[in-house]
Amino acid sequence: MEQKEINFKNILLKVEKDKNETLKKIEEKYKDCSVEDLEKSLRIQNKKPVEISFISKKIKELNEKLIVEKYKSSSNILNETEKEISPKIKEILIKNSLLKNENSAVSPSTTDASASLSFGGKTIVLPSNQPTTLSKSLRKSDALTDTKHIKLEITTDNTINIIWEDANNYQSKDWVALYNYKEALPGNYVTNTWYWAGNYTSGKVETGVTYDANRTQQVRYYNYQNELISEYTVESQCWVDIHADIGSGLQVNWPNYSTSGSYDIIAIHNSNFGEPKDINNAIGQCYADKNDGDWVSGVINCGLPYYAVYWSLIDGGKYIKQACSKPLPPLDRKLAMGEYYNDESSDKTSIAAFFDSTSVDEKDFIMITPNEINEPGTPGYSAKAANGIALSSYGLSYNEVLYYWGTYFSFDNETGAFYIRQKSCALEYKTWITNNFSKLKNRKVRNLALPGSHDSATYSINSNSPKSPDADGYKYPNYLLTPWSKTQTCTVYKQLCFGARYFDLRVARLKDQLYIIHNFYSVPVKEVLSDIFKYVSENVNEVFILHWSHLYLVDDDNKLLMNMIIEKLGKYMSNSNKGPDVKVGDLVGSPIICIYDDLVNPLSGGGGGGSGTGKRPDTDLRDPRLWDPSCLSSPYETSRYHNFESILNFLKSRINVPKRKVFHVCQAIITIEFSLTFFNEDLLTWTVQHRNKFNQFFNDLETFASPTNIIMTDFVTFYPLSSYCIRRNTLEFNNSN
């Protein structure tokens, strides 16, 4: 499978370079524009926040430049100060050193005191009906009391009035103003809404400003010392919501769009570390007064933590956050470790990281490492190119595979950095029942989701293996049949360590030994029993099921096999009288459920036992630790197991059967028919081709909480079944008994 490596450092550099290049292009585009041109351009839709911010800032700079040019002459200032200079112009003059503020507040002892500004060595006395400076936030003095009781009134035609009480008891320089955000400095009031309180003896002024419910509206009353006396706030009614199916365009909704500010912006952000803080990091945006409050963006939901933010434009081309949605929950990538088919590997398998590849973001990547990592430090495999399976080039010894880590990274646009999305290590599968014992101990085993291995010990079959009795109906040469008979690539011990908890074991005699079979002889039974003993002696609370069936044995060999099983595993085998209602907690110390199916002996032509009488041979000799096959259901129809579609239809037809009272096997496998079309490929290739479809079926079972017990597959380590079963068994909805 082709892998594509990416270097996240290069991506970060590219992001920064793109930002710088974008800013240069914007500067070049607007370098010769007038204020009028810029204002027209600002109204054109589909601009990025960075461009809007630049235009607004440039408009302010050009306006300031015009004011500075006008007042460069001291005579102009002297002439104007004999009239009135607005607070904003005064701020600009002070900022550009054309005026010096020598008295920032009028003396409280003088009712009609004047403030003075210095220019060119001359002192200019300002008229007493203007506040001297509004460039810093002023707070109410502790000695002052609120006597004005200012209010904001919204009229029937949706405009704003400012009302204050005790209008006849005012100082000559008291003033009121309207603001559209709480943090506004005194001088950053809404344009043309600054009023001398003394000029309105009625205590009311009609601003004519349309009320925008998406902004916080505030009116303030300042005294002659420019101290805040009273304020009244109407909080923003703004909210914003974001939603979308995976793979669809993100959709945003917000209220009051008809009265939204013409430069306000709805923006989409990707932020893993809390609410977005900067509009320039947005990955998509539109104007808030457009789209009727319902915008389907071009940003595709790739399962990242997306936010929608309502940004309002304020003085200086800056944006403030009016509302922020809850984050769209990121998609669980269901990262899992295993092994997988690899043409380039000497044994055709490699360490693999499995993940949900639905709508992967182009910057996401995977790392497979021999140790756990806590930050991105080396190049990884592009998750988009990997398409659900990232393969490593590392060797495949048991210890290496089990201890390798898979780490999934995503890019955070808000911080401009990669972060760890998910981690997984196959070591957690080795003792997954023990690790979750407190959650599972009261669960019936037949209600647990368990990974199952089909023809579990066929890993040794090759073209030189001798045919076994179950292949009598196949007349094709070995080299055509063996690729369909080998169903697993690793030992039973390794399968146990990877989390498999059901094993399908078929037996026949070859010369002086009993062997595991599937059309061909694979490994001796004693090798499998040794693997199982090694594992169970290390992990005495890991419940699993051994299913001995398709036993091509005469009576004596049946006895021999039963004795071999009891002798090797007896101390760890549970008693059959516990029945299929047995709970996980009932199996502590004896975790093996050993189902022994000797009711049908294929050697007798389909009859029961060795004699074909339909009765079990030597019933009295059967050990109580060998469970009867009636405690397990494994539905299967040969005629429906020759192509994927018919297999899937059969499995779906078995989902909604009445509640089962026994262990149940879902056979996600294929059986070849006598057709040369099967010999154009092999079981490994077929599994690779259809594995994702089976995974989707398993995920559907999870989504709809369909009852699931044993899921049996070929090449069990090629599926993320262990992590799937852990997830299903530990979810609250599936904790029934």
Side-chain angles (χ1 to χ4, degrees):
M1 181 178 294
E2 182 181 356
Q3 301 289 331
K4 181 181 178 182
E5 291 193 354
I6 60 173
N7 189 314
F8 73 93
K9 292 182 179 179
N10 289 342
I11 291 178
L12 291 176
L13 292 173
K14 185 177 185 302
V15 169
E16 187 63 28
K17 182 180 178 182
D18 289 345
K19 282 185 178 179
N20 292 335
E21 288 180 353
T22 299
L23 190 57
K24 286 180 181 179
K25 289 178 181 178
I26 293 172
E27 290 174 349
E28 182 65 26
K29 180 178 178 180
Y30 296 107
K31 68 176 182 179
D32 297 323
C33 288
S34 64
V35 172
E36 184 180 17
D37 293 335
L38 291 170
E39 288 177 342
K40 288 180 180 178
S41 178
L42 200 57
R43 294 300 300 149
I44 299 174
Q45 297 293 305
N46 300 321
K47 284 188 171 57
K48 292 185 177 180
V50 65
E51 187 171 358
I52 294 172
S53 180
F54 176 85
I55 294 172
S56 301
K57 184 177 179 181
K58 190 168 179 68
I59 289 173
K60 181 182 178 183
E61 290 174 351
L62 290 176
N63 280 328
E64 286 190 9
K65 186 176 180 181
L66 291 172
I67 291 170
V68 170
E69 289 295 325
K70 176 180 178 181
Y71 289 98
K72 272 187 177 179
S73 166
S74 61
S75 60
N76 284 346
I77 296 180
L78 290 171
N79 291 336
E80 290 291 336
T81 52
E82 291 175 1
K83 303 174 186 177
E84 289 184 359
I85 299 180
S86 73
K88 287 190 177 181
I89 291 178
K90 200 176 302 174
E91 286 181 36
I92 294 170
L93 296 178
I94 292 170
K95 175 183 174 183
N96 288 275
S97 302
L98 295 178
L99 283 177
K100 182 178 180 183
N101 184 7
E102 293 184 346
N103 193 1
S104 62
V106 181
S107 172
S109 63
T110 307
T111 303
D112 196 28
S114 299
S116 63
L117 295 170
S118 176
F119 173 77
K122 298 180 181 180
T123 299
I124 303 169
V125 179
L126 294 175
S128 59
N129 62 348
Q130 279 284 350
T132 55
T133 180
L134 303 173
S135 60
K136 62 181 180 179
S137 180
L138 299 173
R139 300 182 63 184
K140 179 179 175 181
S141 167
D142 292 338
L144 294 173
T145 58
D146 183 357
T147 61
K148 301 306 174 185
H149 306 297
I150 197 165
K151 296 179 182 178
L152 184 151
E153 179 185 67
I154 302 170
T155 68
T156 55
D157 60 353
N158 205 44
T159 58
I160 295 174
N161 293 341
I162 305 175
I163 301 174
W164 61 99
E165 296 180 9
D166 200 16
N168 293 319
N169 184 19
Y170 58 85
Q171 299 294 333
S172 60
K173 292 186 294 299
D174 288 359
W175 54 281
V176 297
L178 173 66
Y179 300 82
N180 57 17
Y181 62 104
K182 287 182 180 179
E183 299 79 10
L185 296 175
N188 292 338
Y189 46 81
V190 177
T191 304
N192 298 324
T193 66
W194 183 93
Y195 308 94
W196 290 117
N199 292 346
Y200 296 88
T201 56
S202 63
K204 177 178 180 178
V205 62
E206 298 176 354
T207 67
V209 174
T210 300
Y211 169 64
D212 180 0
N214 283 336
R215 286 196 181 215
T216 294
Q217 307 286 350
Q218 189 178 72
V219 289
R220 303 178 192 169
Y221 190 110
Y222 287 92
N223 72 1
Y224 64 95
Q225 290 180 285
N226 297 331
E227 293 180 309
L228 179 63
I229 299 299
S230 182
E231 65 183 22
Y232 184 92
T233 303
V234 177
E235 297 290 347
S236 167
Q237 304 301 307
C238 188
W239 54 262
V240 64
D241 177 64
I242 186 169
H243 52 95
D245 293 332
I246 296 295
S248 300
L250 292 167
Q251 185 170 357
V252 184
N253 299 103
W254 65 99
N256 309 310
Y257 54 86
S258 61
T259 57
S260 294
S262 56
Y263 299 138
D264 289 359
I265 285 177
I266 303 296
I268 295 172
H269 295 256
N270 158 29
S271 175
N272 187 60
F273 304 102
E275 290 190 3
K277 298 178 176 62
D278 189 346
I279 190 173
N280 290 310
N281 294 326
I283 57 176
Q285 73 289 315
C286 75
Y287 285 110
D289 61 347
K290 306 298 180 184
N291 299 303
D292 296 335
D294 185 4
W295 171 47
V296 179
S297 75
V299 180
I300 301 301
N301 182 1
C302 292
L304 298 172
Y306 297 105
Y307 287 83
V309 180
Y310 189 113
W311 296 96
S312 290
L313 182 65
I314 61 173
D315 293 325
K318 296 180 181 178
Y319 278 88
I320 61 170
K321 191 189 324 178
Q322 292 290 356
C324 182
S325 71
K326 293 181 179 179
L328 199 62
L331 178 68
D332 179 6
R333 287 297 172 191
K334 300 175 182 175
L335 186 65
M337 296 301 290
E339 55 187 7
Y340 200 62
Y341 176 73
N342 185 355
D343 263 336
E344 299 177 2
S345 172
S346 59
D347 57 5
K348 301 299 183 184
T349 54
S350 289
I351 302 169
F354 305 123
F355 60 96
D356 185 342
S357 60
T358 307
S359 295
V360 171
D361 186 80
E362 61 182 11
K363 294 188 181 72
D364 288 1
F365 72 92
I366 304 283
M367 294 176 67
I368 299 176
T369 55
N371 300 298
E372 182 180 9
I373 58 174
N374 295 309
E375 59 182 22
T378 58
Y381 301 111
S382 164
K384 197 174 187 70
N387 195 30
I389 305 173
L391 300 180
S392 80
S393 56
Y394 297 112
L396 271 176
S397 71
Y398 155 70
N399 286 332
E400 284 181 337
V401 175
L402 199 62
Y403 286 84
Y404 264 85
W405 284 80
T407 310
Y408 192 106
F409 295 89
S410 288
F411 186 75
D412 180 80
N413 283 76
E414 196 67 19
T415 60
F418 285 97
Y419 63 93
I420 293 175
R421 180 88 164 270
Q422 282 180 279
K423 293 181 183 180
S424 179
C425 179
L427 188 62
E428 66 179 303
Y429 310 144
K430 185 175 183 179
T431 54
W432 68 264
I433 291 179
T434 303
N435 297 343
N436 295 284
F437 186 77
S438 61
K439 297 178 181 179
L440 304 180
K441 63 182 179 180
N442 294 320
R443 298 280 301 281
K444 293 177 181 176
V445 176
R446 62 179 170 85
N447 287 334
L448 287 182
L450 300 172
S453 169
H454 176 234
D455 282 308
S456 305
T458 56
Y459 51 87
S460 184
I461 289 175
N462 57 62
S463 58
N464 295 319
S465 300
K467 275 188 179 179
S468 55
D470 55 333
D472 285 349
Y474 296 99
K475 304 304 180 183
Y476 299 103
N478 287 15
Y479 74 90
L480 289 178
L481 192 55
T482 50
W484 286 97
S485 302
K486 180 179 178 178
T487 64
Q488 306 296 333
T489 60
C490 59
T491 65
V492 169
Y493 178 75
K494 187 172 178 180
Q495 292 174 47
L496 279 160
C497 290
F498 266 94
R501 294 296 178 262
Y502 169 87
F503 297 88
D504 170 32
L505 301 164
R506 310 179 184 193
V507 182
R509 171 175 286 279
L510 178 63
K511 298 179 180 178
D512 59 347
Q513 286 199 74
L514 300 183
Y515 276 79
I516 299 297
I517 62 167
H518 183 221
N519 301 323
F520 296 89
Y521 290 94
S522 179
V523 295
V525 168
K526 63 180 181 181
E527 179 178 318
V528 174
L529 293 175
S530 295
D531 267 3
I532 296 170
F533 178 80
K534 177 183 178 183
Y535 177 83
V536 73
S537 60
E538 297 169 347
N539 308 282
V540 294
N541 292 326
E542 286 296 311
V543 175
F544 58 93
I545 299 172
L546 303 179
H547 186 194
W548 302 90
S549 66
H550 298 72
L551 305 179
Y552 289 77
L553 303 172
V554 297
D555 286 353
D556 287 344
D557 284 341
N558 253 311
K559 295 175 188 176
L560 173 61
L561 177 58
M562 286 189 284
N563 289 337
M564 290 174 67
I565 295 170
I566 297 298
E567 182 179 339
K568 191 71 175 179
L569 305 176
K571 65 180 289 188
Y572 297 112
M573 291 165 58
S574 60
N575 198 300
S576 60
N577 61 13
K578 296 181 185 294
D581 282 340
V582 64
K583 296 179 180 179
V584 172
D586 298 333
L587 298 173
V588 173
S590 55
I592 301 176
I593 296 173
C594 187
I595 301 172
Y596 195 86
D597 188 355
D598 59 350
L599 281 175
V600 176
N601 184 348
L603 291 180
S604 66
S611 62
T613 63
K615 297 180 181 180
R616 178 178 288 118
D618 300 318
T619 301
D620 294 339
L621 299 178
R622 188 180 177 91
D623 191 284
R625 289 167 290 185
L626 297 175
W627 293 48
D628 193 89
S630 62
C631 69
L632 180 138
S633 168
S634 186
Y636 172 84
E637 292 182 17
T638 303
S639 62
R640 301 182 67 175
Y641 265 75
H642 296 321
N643 65 75
F644 177 79
E645 287 71 24
S646 64
I647 296 169
L648 193 60
N649 289 335
F650 176 74
L651 294 177
K652 289 179 178 178
S653 72
R654 304 294 301 179
I655 291 175
N656 297 316
V657 298
K659 193 169 184 179
R660 304 180 180 97
K661 300 295 184 180
V662 296
F663 308 122
H664 179 269
V665 179
C666 169
Q667 297 200 34
I669 62 171
I670 189 172
T671 300
I672 62 170
E673 61 180 341
F674 302 113
S675 169
L676 286 175
T677 57
F678 269 82
F679 301 124
N680 291 327
E681 52 186 17
D682 54 57
L683 183 58
L684 195 60
T685 304
W686 189 92
T687 301
V688 168
Q689 290 173 349
H690 296 90
R691 172 191 166 280
N692 285 344
K693 298 175 185 176
F694 273 131
N695 275 334
Q696 185 57 55
F697 170 66
F698 304 150
N699 289 336
D700 289 343
L701 293 178
E702 179 180 9
T703 300
F704 298 105
S706 300
T708 306
N709 187 200
I710 299 160
I711 300 176
M712 184 175 72
T713 70
D714 296 316
F715 307 107
V716 67
T717 58
F718 283 24
Y719 290 85
L721 274 180
S722 295
S723 62
Y724 171 88
C725 290
I726 294 171
R727 191 168 61 248
R728 288 215 62 176
N729 291 326
T730 53
L731 285 177
E732 184 176 352
F733 73 74
N734 204 30
N735 281 345
S736 61
N737 290 326

